Amino acid sequence: MILTVTLNPALDLTYRVGRLLPHRTHRVSSVDERPGGKGLNVARILHAAGEPVRATGVLGGDTGARVARLLDRDRIETAFTPIADETRRTVTITDCDATGFWEPGPTVTPAEWGAFRARYLRLLGSVSVVVLSGSLPRGLPVDAYARLIADATAAGVRTVLDTSGDALRAGVAAGPDLVKPNTEELVALVHGAPDARPPRAAADEGAVARLAALADAARALGAGAVVASAGPDGLVAVTAEGSWHARPPEVVTGNPTGAGDAYDAALARGLRDRTPWPTVLADAVALSASAVAVAVAGAVDPSVAARLRPSVSVTPVLEEHPAC
């Protein structure tokens, strides 16, 4: 069983328009309403693939009740802790790309955090991998993920961390098995602030090496492995067994909002099964690309994943990295 933790879930609304123009009125061609938040997206992707998964986190108010009903409708197994404040909403507007508007989310009280953590500790007894992803709501300590990682490690459960900022920095120090930042998050983690000159394209050999150097520096902070997403150019992974660049055979256009969550789903499944890294990375790239092909986050197109998977290139990255 894989457990996903979403401490700042949302009700996701996706509006489709022909072309998004600032300061204009738009006619929306269709609207989708789904349970949102990175961990819930991961749970839906795994559930759709037939993988045993349970979603946990905190939910509150009428919006939280709506999220719970939608998860129940989709037959996602859940174990949420109730809170008094209202769960947030997010709005994504898609044309040929995606533009997002994220509400800040509720305030979680110390008592509610304690109740969640007590339930989390009980849940750890029946899982092999925990995916901790997304932002932290107001009221939680910056080391909330670090504490949950320590709890999982003590229970013999492997961990995947996908967050940003101070929560990422604190979480990496707790020693998660895998961290999955994007390029900007990785630069901020290593350098303490966004880089003025981030790697431009992972397809360029020098940029791949520089991204691998950043991942290696992040791994030295405590993570067992660092898998850095590079947008349409796939990902770069630095692990104890080696370093690789995995790249899709073509660029898939659409809504990239849930691409990182598809990475998390594939990586968690690979950790659970102890699959060799090159195979895991190829699966992750194909699944992520198939998520871009779907208009809403938390879903993939299996036919796209199956078509791309045999042609994903996974090549070793030289151990000698340039200075990051």
Side-chain angles (χ1 to χ4, degrees):
M1 171 85 62
I2 295 172
L3 180 68
T4 69
V5 174
T6 312
L7 294 175
N8 202 10
L11 180 64
D12 272 357
L13 300 171
T14 300
Y15 297 154
R16 294 186 189 86
V17 300
R19 183 184 178 193
L20 179 62
L21 298 170
H23 314 299
R24 299 286 183 90
T25 298
H26 297 75
R27 292 192 180 276
V28 178
S29 61
S30 64
V31 180
D32 280 300
E33 180 186 56
R34 300 167 73 89
K38 293 180 69 62
L40 295 187
N41 291 339
V42 174
R44 283 209 309 277
I45 291 168
L46 289 169
H47 176 74
E51 302 289 353
V53 61
R54 179 182 290 121
T56 189
V58 295
L59 288 173
D62 292 339
T63 306
R66 178 63 177 159
V67 169
R69 288 194 298 272
L70 290 171
L71 289 168
D72 184 62
R73 179 202 65 185
D74 293 340
R75 299 185 178 181
I76 306 294
E77 186 174 345
T78 62
F80 279 87
T81 297
I83 59 173
D85 210 354
E86 191 83 16
T87 293
R88 67 185 176 133
R89 295 163 299 180
T90 64
V91 177
T92 301
I93 302 173
T94 65
D95 45 14
C96 59
D97 206 325
T99 302
F101 299 86
W102 278 204
E103 292 181 0
T107 297
V108 179
T109 68
E112 290 165 344
W113 167 237
F116 166 77
R117 194 169 175 194
R119 170 170 277 191
Y120 171 78
L121 288 169
R122 294 193 297 270
L123 293 171
L124 288 175
S126 60
V127 303
S128 56
V129 176
V130 174
V131 180
L132 306 121
S133 56
S135 61
L136 294 177
R138 293 170 291 185
L140 290 194
V142 71
D143 65 345
Y145 281 136
R147 299 183 193 186
L148 300 180
I149 290 166
D151 291 339
T153 301
V157 175
R158 307 183 84 181
T159 51
V160 176
L161 177 64
D162 185 359
T163 187
S164 60
D166 291 338
L168 174 59
R169 186 174 302 279
V172 167
D177 291 278
L178 189 153
V179 176
K180 193 209 68 61
N182 61 32
T183 302
E184 291 181 359
E185 292 162 350
L186 184 59
V187 169
L189 174 64
V190 172
H191 292 299
D195 194 341
R197 297 174 298 102
R200 287 172 295 175
D204 176 81
E205 185 175 350
V208 169
R210 184 162 178 249
L211 189 57
L214 287 165
D216 192 47
R219 184 171 175 268
L221 298 175
V226 176
V227 178
S229 60
D233 290 311
L235 53 80
V236 172
V238 175
T239 78
E241 289 79 25
S243 303
W244 295 271
H245 175 211
R247 190 177 180 215
E250 63 188 65
V251 175
V252 177
T253 59
N255 179 10
T257 307
D261 304 324
Y263 275 140
D264 289 342
L267 294 169
R269 182 170 57 188
L271 279 183
R272 180 199 63 195
D273 298 339
R274 301 186 182 275
T275 306
W277 279 108
T279 302
V280 173
L281 299 176
D283 287 341
V285 166
L287 197 64
S288 178
S290 76
V292 175
V294 180
V296 294
V300 299
D301 185 332
S303 66
V304 173
R307 177 174 61 82
L308 296 180
R309 171 64 183 82
S311 301
V312 174
S313 67
V314 183
T315 56
V317 178
L318 295 177
E319 293 298 326
E320 298 265 344
H321 307 310
C324 61

